[in-house]
Amino acid sequence: MGFGWFDFFLISSAGGLIGFLAGMFGVGGGFLLVPILNIVLGIPMELAVGASACQVLGPATTSLLARKIKFRDLFFPLVITGGLLLGVIAGTGILEHAKSSTSVVLNARNIIVADLVVLIAYLFMLTGLGVLSLRSARRDDSELKGTLFTERFQIPPVARFPSLVEEPLSIPVIAWFGLGLGLLSGLLGISGGLLLFPVLIFGLGIPTHRAITCSLMIVWIVAFQSTIAHAWHGNINIMIVIALLLGGTVGARLGSDLNARLKGLQLRRQFGWLLLSVALMIGARLVFLLAG
Amino acid sequence: MLDKIFFIIACIIIPVLWGVIVNWIFNQWQDRSNNNSDDDYIFPDYQI
């Protein structure tokens, strides 16, 4: 697939807009990037997913370098890495299978299987997260602390991570969570921060500032694995990645400036509506694909 | 096969290098701000 300067400018502008929203809400923005690249700019789904997974390495590297990482901070990310790797392999495998299926005929229309699989997965994920975000926007930050996984899912063997949380954490639960996260990253091209951050804070009870560092390291690892897997399958176009890196950096900087001026409740409500708006856009695209 | 391996390496190096350059630019900017102002500079907090 060839790109001219105009396409490069369009992709870079989309990257800038998504970077702005991502910086504003403190997320990676992969969940916005893939639907916009595919639905609005018409980039094939596998290239949109591959570019999204690859470009995350840029901002993730910047964020990690800006922090002083200690050796003990690596324990949790290393435990989750095995599950992540298997998940990424499974996710890219599903996308590859969908890609090789080419198209199916539904209602006398040819539908690309990869588009259908990824859009349906996005629709469910964004609708669920959007509803959760709007529900949590009714409560104050202090009411949202929880330790769901440390209290209810203590499946042995357990391990202690003194730098993160006092209670021991179940290694199988961490590995299965990594597997799910890796699968979504491989299939959808998301960095995983969108799911990772609430699970670390509300599920495992890790304090916010420690969860940010932990989340960043896991995001870097999952992006690294996902980039290798997508590059291996030929799902990455370097020019798309460069355009996204250029636009995304400027947008993220402007967005993070605005983030400091907004309150947590306000941010969660707006974030919830943003997720539901993207889910609505994907739903409309699916209706168009299926019903014509 | 070798082409594929080089392509994978390029896909990793380009965004990582970009991340390192952006970090270097912000560090330079931070140093300059510290020299020009007595106020404490707070590094912008990125979260992925």
Side-chain angles (χ1 to χ4, degrees):
Chain A
M1 188 175 178
F3 290 98
W5 284 109
F6 185 66
D7 298 312
F8 189 88
F9 173 75
L10 274 182
I11 295 166
S12 198
S13 304
L17 175 72
I18 291 155
F20 176 78
L21 291 170
M24 188 170 141
F25 295 113
V27 291
F31 68 96
L32 287 169
L33 199 53
V34 174
I36 287 177
L37 286 179
N38 177 254
I39 298 172
V40 181
L41 300 180
I43 290 169
M45 187 57 86
E46 63 274 13
L47 290 182
V49 168
S52 172
C54 181
Q55 65 86 31
V56 170
L57 273 175
T61 303
T62 306
S63 304
L64 272 183
L65 290 172
R67 288 169 185 276
K68 285 174 183 160
I69 307 293
K70 292 171 183 153
F71 183 68
R72 63 182 184 185
D73 295 330
L74 296 172
F75 294 166
F76 187 87
L78 283 176
V79 170
I80 206 170
T81 296
L84 285 176
L85 181 62
L86 291 177
V88 166
I89 292 168
T92 44
I94 293 170
L95 185 67
E96 212 43 34
H97 187 70
K99 202 170 92 179
S100 62
S101 302
T102 318
S103 61
V104 287
V105 180
L106 214 66
N107 288 341
R109 287 173 63 90
N110 266 337
I111 297 163
I112 300 167
V113 178
D115 287 14
L116 200 62
V117 170
V118 174
L119 289 175
I120 288 172
Y122 262 112
L123 182 67
F124 279 106
M125 188 185 75
L126 294 179
T127 307
L129 285 169
V131 170
L132 275 177
S133 197
L134 284 178
R135 282 181 65 181
S136 74
R138 291 179 192 161
R139 289 183 285 170
D140 197 53
D141 284 1
S142 57
E143 295 173 43
L144 292 170
K145 295 285 170 203
T147 52
L148 181 70
F149 293 119
T150 52
E151 284 168 4
R152 295 191 192 169
F153 299 101
Q154 280 288 12
I155 302 163
V158 294
R160 287 189 178 275
F161 301 92
S163 62
L164 289 178
V165 64
E166 285 174 15
E167 292 85 11
L169 300 178
S170 164
I171 291 176
V173 170
I174 297 170
W176 292 332
F177 174 60
L179 186 77
L181 193 69
L183 190 126
L184 286 175
S185 178
L187 178 64
L188 306 180
I190 58 170
S191 59
L194 187 67
L195 299 165
L196 193 57
F197 203 60
V199 170
L200 290 179
I201 294 175
F202 308 128
L204 300 174
I206 296 172
T208 308
H209 64 283
R210 291 180 197 169
I212 292 173
T213 308
C214 187
S215 165
L216 278 174
M217 279 190 288
I218 296 170
V219 161
W220 197 92
I221 293 168
V222 79
F224 180 79
Q225 294 174 343
S226 222
T227 299
I228 293 174
H230 284 297
W232 179 263
H233 291 298
N235 295 341
I236 295 177
N237 182 307
I238 290 287
M239 289 312 286
I240 299 177
V241 174
I242 292 172
L244 291 173
L245 284 170
L246 286 172
T249 312
V250 179
R253 167 74 205 187
L254 296 172
S256 59
D257 283 348
L258 185 63
N259 171 294
R261 295 179 207 162
L262 296 171
K263 290 179 181 170
L265 280 174
Q266 212 178 348
L267 277 172
R268 278 202 296 276
R269 193 177 301 120
Q270 289 170 351
F271 186 57
W273 286 118
L274 174 71
L275 291 173
L276 289 179
S277 306
V278 181
L280 191 71
M281 181 177 82
I282 292 168
R285 172 69 176 162
L286 278 169
V287 169
F288 176 77
L289 269 178
L290 297 172
Chain B
M1 184 67 179
L2 207 60
D3 287 352
K4 212 172 200 177
I5 290 167
F6 280 129
F7 179 66
I8 292 170
I9 292 169
C11 287
I12 290 167
I13 284 178
I14 288 170
V16 169
L17 194 65
W18 176 259
V20 172
I21 291 168
V22 170
N23 179 64
W24 180 80
I25 290 168
F26 276 120
N27 279 343
Q28 294 295 314
W29 185 19
Q30 186 186 2
D31 290 345
R32 198 164 288 181
S33 300
N34 284 341
N35 288 338
N36 291 340
S37 164
D38 291 334
D39 298 334
D40 285 340
Y41 179 85
I42 300 167
F43 197 84
D45 199 14
Y46 295 102
Q47 189 226 316
I48 305 302

